[in-house]
């Protein structure tokens, strides 16, 4: 199935089974804003819990906070967001459509990569087992031509971004003959910077109102609480502060479903270290975060690092963890060595000291920070994409299933009386009433057992327990496993332990390094 097709199916599956809805749908929707439905919220809460536990539960030196969305506006001046949290925008004069100049160029580069890959794939087919891909890439005139053209554009693009040279960005678009996908023309405006922060007013009267921002990242809430946490928690460096919370960005190119939203959620952890040790910690967190992603079991080949071409002025190292979405490898998490930039800026703008007295070194310093920052919604999308499957059954029927890691599944156990009568429903309810305190169960008695299995496959329920006439005699039920469809008979008294062992968060957490 074409990847575009898979993506469309994912979006409609998300809606059909109550994972994600367009916000304000009955009013024709609000662009790039989404709501999570009855299944989506459970999956999202489980995902957040997995991240939180992997940070706060498994690390004695990481604690959590929950800071407010509104913060003093000077914070955003200090952090650089008021002056520099911009996207370079360009308009097509014919279609009147607005684009991010950097995205237009990145898409063009991705097309060139595709062309090269297609040439290589064709040759691999032609030459069969004797094919030497490395040599082919280095010597085939067509591939070499594409590659050098790509490298030249990439170098100009990276330099223009680094130098903040908007005229050169436009020139790259013109020279590459990039056309507007709507009008098909190359009639472009100048490139302009556009600030991504939403603002509103706080205060009762317009004269006394203060302009405040909806935070564009949760990280600043951690920085401004650094000293509160360090002192009240008696934290010793190195230590980390974790937070999960909403962030808001007025994204111009908002597309690809929940990949790029205007209101989204982040899970961020700022790790405070002595100056000079930050690059070692950066490598440490790179390793741990990649391990966390891979623990979900979608395959190591689905993830890769992408080191930044353009380092933000405050960073001395940065990488993204990318996941292979149906529309290509895309960033789900950023890992950044942010130096002492943020704390120093807040010291400067607030006039308060944010230093740490290191008893081992017997001196005070402003700590350096390594940050891990992951988008909940992008992670959610990667999990849906990784677990969505269509299978042809032996009887020719098709089943759609979500092979979710059991610990993340919205429902762990479906409790299904074979029929409603003969006391089976009552027995099933009795089991449900006992187990519902331990994990998420769902009772379902409507439709044939086959249809009920399909419904639970579609929401990723890892186990179904069927209560039949025999159950009334031997107190045993049939457990059906989602992925293999295998069935086994187990005692009701063992059910709780079996399901807990296979679905508890510990099963994922145990895979991680200490
Ligand atoms: N504090 C650092 C920071 O915010 P970022 O790379 O801008 O870094 C971190 O964002 C993560 O937040 C990204 O890797 C992505 O997963 C998520 N994210 C950023 N913008 C987003 C958007 N518009 N919609 C959904 N997720 C977004």
């Amino acid at each position: 199935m074409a990847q575009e097709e898979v993506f469309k199916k994912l979006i409609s599956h998300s809606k059909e089974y109550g994972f994600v809805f367009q916000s304000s749908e009955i009013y024709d929707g609000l662009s790039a804003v989404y709501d999570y439905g009855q299944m989506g919220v459970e999956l999202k809460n489980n995902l957040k819990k997995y991240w939180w536990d992997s940070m706060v539960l498994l690390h004695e030196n990481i604690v959590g906070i929950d800071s407010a969305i509104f913060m003093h506006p000077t914070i955003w001046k200090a952090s650089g967001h008021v002056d520099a949290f911009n996207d370079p925008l360009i308009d097509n004069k014919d279609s009147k459509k607005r684009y991010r100049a950097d995205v237009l160029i990145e898409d063009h580069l991705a097309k060139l990569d595709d062309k090269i890959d297609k040439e290589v794939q064709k040759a691999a087919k032609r030459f069969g087992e004797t094919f030497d891909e490395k040599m082919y890439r280095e010597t085939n005139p067509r591939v070499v031509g594409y590659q050098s053209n790509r490298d030249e554009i990439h170098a100009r693009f990276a330099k223009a971004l680094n130098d903040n040279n908007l005229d050169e960005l436009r020139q790259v678009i013109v020279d590459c003959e990039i056309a507007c996908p709507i009008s098909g023309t190359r009639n472009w405006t100048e490139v302009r910077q556009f600030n991504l922060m939403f603002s509103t007013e706080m205060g009762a009267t317009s004269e006394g109102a203060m302009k405040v921002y909806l935070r564009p990242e949760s990280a600043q809430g951690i920085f401004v609480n650094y000293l509160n946490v360090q002192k009240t928690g008696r934290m010793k460096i190195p230590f980390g502060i974790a937070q999960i919370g909403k962030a808001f960005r007025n994204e111009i190119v908002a597309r690809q479903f929940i990949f790029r939203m205007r209101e989204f959620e982040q899970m961020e952890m700022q790790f405070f270290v002595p100056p000079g040790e930050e690059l070692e910690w950066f490598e440490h967190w790179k390793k741990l975060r990649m391990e966390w992603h891979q623990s979900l079991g979608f395959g190591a080949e689905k993830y890769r690092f992408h080191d930044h071409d353009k380092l933000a002025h405050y960073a001395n190292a940065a990488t993204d963890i990318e996941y292979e979405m149906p529309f290509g490898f895309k960033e789900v998490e950023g890992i950044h060595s942010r130096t002492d930039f943020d704390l120093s800026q807040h010291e400067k703008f607030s006039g308060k000291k944010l230093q740490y007295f290191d008893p081992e070194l017997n001196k005070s310093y402003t700590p350096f920070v390594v940050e891990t920052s992951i988008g909940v919604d992008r992670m959610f999308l990667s999990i849906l994409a990784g677990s969505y499957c269509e299978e042809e059954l032996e009887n020719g029927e098709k089943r759609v299933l979500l092979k979710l890691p059991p610990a993340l599944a919205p429902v762990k156990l479906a409790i299904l009386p074979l029929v409603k009568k003969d006391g089976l429903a009552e027995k099933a309810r009795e089991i449900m009433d006992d187990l519902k305190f331990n994990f998420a169960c769902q009772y379902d008695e409507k439709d044939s057992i086959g249809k009920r299995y399909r419904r639970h496959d579609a929401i990723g329920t890892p186990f179904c327990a069927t209560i039949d006439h025999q159950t009334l005699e031997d107190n045993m039920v049939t457990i059906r496993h989602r992925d293999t469809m295998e069935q086994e008979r187990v005692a009701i008294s063992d059910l709780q332990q079996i399901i807990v062992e296979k679905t508890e968060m510990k099963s994922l957490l145990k895979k991680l390094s200490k």
Side-chain angles (χ1 to χ4, degrees), residues 169-388:
L169 267 187
R170 182 179 188 279
Q171 201 52 48
V172 174
I173 291 173
V174 171
D175 293 349
C176 291
E177 301 186 344
I178 296 173
C180 164
I182 309 285
S183 66
T185 70
R186 301 183 186 115
N187 196 5
W188 297 110
T189 62
E190 297 305 302
V191 176
R192 285 165 299 118
Q193 292 288 21
F194 175 85
N195 193 283
L196 296 182
M197 281 199 294
F198 285 104
S199 64
T200 185
E201 292 191 339
M202 187 176 269
T205 59
S206 56
E207 303 86 66
M210 171 164 72
K211 184 176 178 181
V212 289
Y213 298 97
L214 273 72
R215 66 179 179 202
E217 62 171 13
S218 69
Q220 296 303 325
I222 295 180
F223 291 124
V224 297
N225 277 297
Y226 151 76
L227 207 55
N228 283 337
V229 174
Q230 192 271 317
K231 293 241 178 290
T232 58
R234 290 176 291 117
M235 307 301 290
K236 284 202 169 61
I237 276 184
F239 76 91
I241 305 178
Q243 163 155 248
I244 299 179
K246 288 263 179 156
F248 304 83
R249 295 181 190 179
N250 195 2
E251 297 282 0
I252 297 309
V253 187
R255 54 178 181 180
Q256 289 160 329
F257 191 39
I258 54 172
F259 182 77
R260 197 178 299 285
M261 300 155 87
R262 296 198 166 109
E263 173 179 342
F264 58 100
E265 215 168 353
Q266 290 184 315
M267 305 191 279
E268 299 200 291
M269 195 278 297
Q270 316 296 133
F271 201 70
F272 300 90
V273 303
E277 289 185 17
E278 71 279 7
L279 292 179
E280 236 170 89
W281 283 108
F282 174 73
E283 290 304 324
H284 172 83
W285 281 107
K286 260 179 89 168
K287 180 172 158 283
L288 254 60
R289 294 306 303 146
M290 183 58 100
E291 192 182 69
W292 184 89
H293 285 272
Q294 294 187 351
S295 69
L296 296 173
F298 297 125
E301 73 288 354
K302 288 276 182 190
Y303 303 88
R304 71 179 187 195
F305 286 114
H306 173 247
D307 296 333
H308 288 201
D309 283 327
K310 183 197 173 194
L311 283 180
H313 57 283
Y314 51 76
N316 62 4
T319 193
D320 296 334
I321 293 181
E322 296 186 335
Y323 178 80
E324 191 178 15
M325 301 277 186
F327 41 89
F329 272 96
K330 297 285 167 193
E331 172 192 346
V332 289
E333 171 157 6
I335 301 161
H336 314 123
S337 172
R338 293 179 74 129
T339 66
D340 61 350
F341 174 80
D342 302 270
L343 289 183
S344 299
Q345 284 292 98
H346 289 307
E347 284 191 312
K348 195 165 118 196
F349 279 75
S350 69
K352 311 271 171 14
K353 279 248 166 287
L354 297 176
Q355 298 227 324
Y356 173 76
F357 177 74
D358 194 324
E360 274 166 39
L361 301 176
N362 198 26
K363 67 171 189 181
S364 293
Y365 53 77
T366 307
F368 274 42
V369 172
V370 174
E371 142 182 282
T372 72
S373 174
I374 171 171
V376 177
D377 312 271
R378 284 193 191 174
M379 194 57 214
F380 185 101
L381 182 58
S382 75
I383 289 173
L384 277 188
S387 56
Y388 182 88

Side-chain angles (χ1 to χ4, degrees), residues 119-130:
E119 289 290 334
V120 173
Q121 280 161 16
K122 262 197 302 189
K125 249 194 199 157
R126 213 169 47 238
F127 293 112
E129 285 193 352
T130 58

Side-chain angles (χ1 to χ4, degrees), residues 26-203:
I26 59 170
Y27 290 94
D28 296 332
L30 186 64
S31 171
V33 186
Y34 290 89
D35 298 335
Y36 285 82
Q38 67 280 11
M39 287 300 138
V41 69
E42 298 292 346
L43 174 55
K44 194 172 166 200
N45 283 343
N46 293 338
L47 167 59
K48 289 195 277 186
K49 182 162 171 47
Y50 180 40
W51 181 86
W52 188 266
D53 287 356
S54 72
M55 288 290 176
V56 176
L57 212 61
L58 297 195
H59 295 96
E60 285 172 36
N61 60 350
I62 299 182
V63 291
I65 61 163
D66 182 15
S67 70
I69 285 171
F70 288 130
M71 296 197 280
H72 195 286
T74 310
I75 287 174
W76 303 110
K77 197 77 191 139
S79 67
H81 284 81
V82 171
D83 296 322
F85 193 51
N86 300 322
D87 272 347
L89 297 187
I90 189 165
D91 291 13
N92 182 268
K93 290 183 192 163
D94 299 316
S95 67
K96 311 273 182 260
K97 280 270 165 206
R98 183 162 288 179
Y99 299 93
R100 265 176 61 180
D102 54 334
V103 171
L104 282 180
I105 300 171
E106 274 167 7
D107 286 351
H108 181 75
L109 289 170
K111 275 187 199 146
L112 290 176
D113 284 337
D114 265 5
K115 264 189 184 169
I116 295 170
D117 287 347
K118 278 201 183 111
E119 289 290 334
V120 173
Q121 280 161 16
K122 262 197 302 189
K125 249 194 199 157
R126 213 169 47 238
F127 293 112
E129 285 193 352
T130 58
F131 184 58
D132 181 341
E133 181 177 330
K134 186 167 177 287
M135 191 161 86
Y136 188 80
R137 281 182 185 270
E138 284 166 4
T139 54
N140 178 274
R142 211 187 332 233
V143 171
V144 171
Y146 285 149
Q147 189 65 49
S148 78
N149 176 234
R150 188 218 177 273
D151 292 346
E152 190 200 318
I153 296 168
H154 185 257
R156 277 181 69 190
F157 170 53
K159 182 163 179 352
L161 279 183
N162 257 323
D163 300 347
N164 206 10
N165 185 342
L166 302 184
D167 290 341
E168 171 65 358
L169 267 187
R170 182 179 188 279
Q171 201 52 48
V172 174
I173 291 173
V174 171
D175 293 349
C176 291
E177 301 186 344
I178 296 173
C180 164
I182 309 285
S183 66
T185 70
R186 301 183 186 115
N187 196 5
W188 297 110
T189 62
E190 297 305 302
V191 176
R192 285 165 299 118
Q193 292 288 21
F194 175 85
N195 193 283
L196 296 182
M197 281 199 294
F198 285 104
S199 64
T200 185
E201 292 191 339
M202 187 176 269

